[in-house]
Amino acid sequence: QVQVAESGGGLLQAGGSLRLSCVGSGRSFRTYTMAWFRRAPGKEIEFVAAISWSGQNQYYADSVKGRFTISKDSAENTIYLQMNDVRSDDTAVYYCASNDRTYAMGDYRSDATYPYWGQGTQVTVSA
């Protein structure tokens, strides 16, 4: 059974840093695009960042560009989201997602591209 699981969320002050992790299981994630999304209270789910199967290409939402970094450790079947200089509007539940099409980016900004999702990890930023 294919699963992804996030960890690393928490409470921090504005301007601080946090690293989220997402571990995949049930198969190798080496050849699949993976992404981070988030859902803030009362809002729709929002694309945050995506990384290509090779790890060589990263894509970001404008709201996090220059502050967040997505990376991949294929040997560990893990992706990360390094969050720096966080702001109060970064407060959300963060979700890791994986697609199921080998070597394909697809519409990486759309949540519909990803059939596999974790349960989410809460990040709360205080002003």
Side-chain angles (χ1 to χ4, degrees):
Q1 182 179 1
V2 176
Q3 291 183 323
V4 292
E6 310 90 343
S7 63
L11 173 65
L12 68 165
Q13 292 185 330
S17 297
L18 196 67
R19 189 176 80 159
L20 306 183
S21 301
C22 170
V23 179
S25 61
R27 70 169 189 200
S28 170
F29 287 79
R30 188 181 300 272
T31 58
Y32 299 96
T33 298
M34 298 187 72
W36 289 95
F37 286 77
R38 66 186 181 187
R39 188 192 299 272
K43 294 189 177 181
E44 297 292 317
I45 197 161
E46 175 189 24
F47 168 77
V48 176
I51 189 164
S52 62
W53 66 271
S54 66
Q56 291 183 337
N57 299 299
Q58 303 89 38
Y59 306 90
Y60 298 95
D62 288 343
S63 58
V64 307
K65 199 173 296 182
R67 300 187 298 121
F68 291 9
T69 302
I70 188 171
S71 60
K72 185 176 187 181
D73 184 339
S74 294
E76 297 296 328
N77 236 20
T78 301
I79 67 167
Y80 303 96
L81 185 69
Q82 178 66 43
M83 305 168 63
N84 297 329
D85 191 23
V86 296
R87 309 184 304 218
S88 57
D89 59 358
D90 292 322
T91 294
V93 177
Y94 283 73
Y95 298 91
C96 172
S98 174
N99 78 2
D100 61 353
R101 295 179 60 197
T102 308
Y103 305 123
M105 287 301 299
D107 182 2
Y108 59 85
R109 292 178 180 270
S110 170
D111 60 305
T113 296
Y114 305 91
Y116 302 113
W117 292 79
Q119 293 299 306
T121 186
Q122 176 71 48
V123 174
T124 303
V125 180
S126 62

